[in-house]
Amino acid sequence: MSTAHNDKKGPDEAVLRIPSGNIWAHAWKIAAVCAAIGFVLVGMGWSLDPHRFPFSWLFAFVTFLTVGLGAIFFVAIQFLTVAHWSVTVRRTAEFFAAGVPVFAILFIPLALPANVETLYEWYSHGADHAAPAAHDEHASGESLIGASVAQAQAAQEPQAPAAEAHDDPQHALHGSLLEKKHGYLNYGFWLGRAAVYFAVWILLALWLFRSSIEQDKSKDKRITARLQKWSPGVLALFALTLTFAMFDWMMSLEPTWYSTIYGVYVFAGAAVTIHALVTVVTLGLKSRGLLGDAVNVEHLHDLGKMTFGYMVFWAYIGFSQMMLQWYANIPEEIVYYHYRWHAEGWRGVSIFLVVGNFVIPFIFLISRNVKRRLALLGIGCGWLLVMHVVDIFWFVMPNVQRGHFSVHWMDLAALLAIGGIYFAVVLFGMRRHPLIPVGDPRLERSLHFQNP
């Protein structure tokens, strides 16, 4: 690995900006048009199918929110580890982190009481404190777990049909669990926590971004020292808020089911996605001559290695969660996987997720040669971005109509709306600042970085 060459002049800041005639200068307009089309379609869908809308919106919201939160993680971890290799690619992640505030506005539809009631069973339960014995969707879920319950009780009641023998106790247990969780899962507290999450994320994202931009102008090394000093606190706040936000917005879609590593599972997907996205965007900028020699195959090789590593981590966490709950075989735990395996159509999605988000990219990206051939690296990372969408779809959509698989055009419209507005904000910001942190004191080392 080479060391810094202090006698060489750093890259020209003017060269590392997007010129007005470049296609990247107008990319935000394309994203804005996509957003406009998406919002029109979503508005139509909301009026036609108000039950589907909040699920589609939540799916798209979390899909892109995890990109922004992953960007906060990407930036903070570079300072925590005192990394120099990533300096020239870090600014791309900073741009995506800077777009996080837009999600506070995009969350408003999800916070409306009517949509909260549609999404979350605990909302209605909290209103009347009644066990949901007549809840149709839960009843369909009980039919899915009936086989497991019956198997556990077969020795004592061999002649009793599963539905007759166990539905009522299961419903009673379901209502009892909701009652015990009401102190946490109630609308006012849920909304207050959401406000805290967004306040923390916006503070962290803007502080990281503005500090880096300020250093472009001042070249003050103390900014790097300050960011390095506070990076452990940034990551601690990031971990806590991401975990509890996913508990509140995703895991509570099935309020009697829980997993202690659910937040880690979502984080793993976010980490894969931001590394893959930074790779794809960096390749796009480099192909248009916007990064000069500041980013080379060495940096992209390391991005490929990090993407591969987090992809394996995602598979490990996902398997660990499934294996532990399968082994315990507790009805209120395994119902989560019954919805995604025994329910009509969802088994194919589950298999595709395992194969497409682990097996295929593992075989493809494990090779050093692939990670150093930029076209192949771009294909692999692009594929992982598509699989991230499938992953979040698998998290959310089994709850639309439990026991049945469905895809709706409003799902795509919501992706266009939320993804379009988020990317428009990010790409617009890219026009205003240098594409690499030209004031970072480790920049020179990054420019001459070599893999062993």
Side-chain angles (χ1 to χ4, degrees):
M1 184 184 300
S2 66
T3 58
H5 295 266
N6 294 324
D7 57 330
K8 292 191 176 183
K9 186 179 179 181
D12 186 353
E13 179 179 338
V15 173
L16 294 169
R17 288 179 178 269
I18 299 176
S20 58
N22 194 283
I23 189 173
W24 279 91
H26 305 285
W28 71 272
K29 299 176 183 177
I30 299 173
V33 170
C34 291
I37 295 172
F39 275 105
V40 170
L41 292 175
V42 165
M44 293 170 55
W46 193 351
S47 62
L48 294 172
D49 190 350
H51 175 77
R52 182 80 183 199
F53 164 76
F55 290 97
S56 297
W57 195 260
L58 178 65
F59 152 62
F61 179 84
V62 174
T63 296
F64 290 102
L65 174 66
T66 47
V67 173
L69 298 183
I72 294 175
F73 167 77
F74 184 102
V75 176
I77 200 70
Q78 308 312 318
F79 288 106
L80 180 69
T81 58
V82 198
H84 70 271
W85 73 268
S86 59
V87 171
T88 58
V89 298
R90 195 186 71 224
R91 178 56 55 82
T92 301
E94 291 172 353
F95 284 128
F96 280 100
V100 164
V102 76
F103 289 103
I105 299 172
L106 295 171
F107 183 75
I108 292 173
L110 294 175
L112 298 177
N115 291 329
V116 175
E117 184 175 14
T118 300
L119 286 168
Y120 304 109
E121 182 184 348
W122 52 259
Y123 180 90
S124 297
H125 182 88
D128 56 18
H129 298 279
H135 197 283
D136 290 341
E137 290 185 352
H138 183 67
S140 67
E142 294 307 323
S143 68
L144 290 172
I145 68 170
S148 298
V149 179
Q151 183 181 14
Q153 302 287 338
Q156 291 79 12
E157 300 175 278
Q159 303 300 322
E164 294 180 7
H166 305 293
D167 272 3
D168 289 343
Q170 284 300 114
H171 282 305
L173 175 61
H174 185 80
S176 174
L177 289 172
L178 284 179
E179 190 71 31
K180 292 177 181 178
K181 295 182 179 183
H182 178 64
Y184 184 82
L185 292 178
N186 64 81
Y187 181 64
F189 193 24
W190 179 87
L191 203 60
R193 292 194 301 273
V196 172
Y197 304 148
F198 284 114
V200 171
W201 294 336
I202 292 170
L203 175 65
L204 295 181
L206 295 184
W207 179 67
L208 291 169
F209 179 70
R210 290 176 178 174
S211 295
S212 184
I213 294 301
E214 178 187 347
Q215 193 176 49
D216 286 349
K217 302 173 183 177
S218 67
K219 307 296 190 293
D220 187 352
K221 296 181 180 179
R222 291 175 298 179
I223 293 176
T224 294
R226 183 169 67 242
L227 290 166
Q228 185 173 314
K229 175 184 177 181
W230 291 105
S231 58
V234 170
L235 288 170
L237 286 172
F238 162 81
L240 287 172
T241 51
L242 170 66
T243 298
F244 280 93
M246 294 305 108
F247 286 169
D248 289 357
W249 303 339
M250 299 277 279
M251 196 165 74
S252 73
L253 289 166
E254 297 163 83
T256 59
W257 177 82
Y258 66 91
S259 167
T260 55
I261 60 173
Y262 191 84
V264 183
Y265 193 7
V266 177
F267 157 74
V272 175
T273 303
I274 190 57
H275 282 84
L277 184 60
V278 168
T279 302
V280 170
V281 173
T282 300
L283 285 170
L285 292 170
K286 187 172 178 60
S287 69
R288 291 288 173 173
L290 296 174
L291 297 175
D293 296 327
V295 176
N296 56 41
V297 68
E298 306 297 337
H299 304 98
L300 290 159
H301 181 192
D302 266 21
L303 280 172
K305 288 189 288 186
M306 297 301 296
T307 303
F308 177 83
Y310 280 113
M311 180 265 296
V312 174
F313 178 65
W314 171 88
Y316 168 74
I317 295 298
F319 173 77
S320 298
Q321 178 179 272
M322 182 279 296
M323 183 271 294
L324 291 171
Q325 298 199 345
W326 170 81
Y327 181 80
N329 200 31
I330 300 173
E332 61 267 26
E333 291 183 353
I334 62 173
V335 66
Y336 181 85
Y337 291 98
H338 274 283
Y339 288 147
R340 290 157 177 82
W341 188 258
H342 293 293
E344 176 188 347
W346 281 105
R347 178 175 298 188
V349 178
S350 298
I351 294 172
F352 179 62
L353 191 59
V354 173
V355 174
N357 210 24
F358 175 64
V359 177
I360 292 175
F362 181 89
I363 295 171
F364 185 76
L365 289 174
I366 195 171
S367 169
R368 172 185 171 93
N369 290 332
V370 169
K371 291 192 285 286
R372 294 181 71 85
R373 295 190 179 189
L374 302 187
L376 294 178
L377 178 62
I379 291 171
C381 290
W383 174 258
L384 286 171
L385 294 177
V386 173
M387 292 309 303
H388 176 65
V389 177
V390 177
D391 193 22
I392 304 301
F393 189 87
W394 186 83
F395 278 133
V396 176
M397 290 307 183
N399 299 285
V400 177
Q401 189 178 5
R402 291 175 183 172
H404 300 279
F405 172 78
S406 65
V407 179
H408 197 281
W409 58 265
M410 195 163 23
D411 306 337
L412 177 59
L415 287 173
L416 282 175
I418 294 179
I421 196 68
Y422 173 54
F423 273 80
V425 170
V426 170
L427 294 170
F428 185 83
M430 290 176 68
R431 300 164 61 249
R432 303 173 57 191
H433 304 287
L435 297 175
I436 69 169
V438 294
D440 194 294
R442 301 190 183 99
L443 175 59
E444 191 66 25
R445 292 186 66 192
S446 182
L447 291 172
H448 298 91
F449 169 73
Q450 291 287 330
N451 274 288

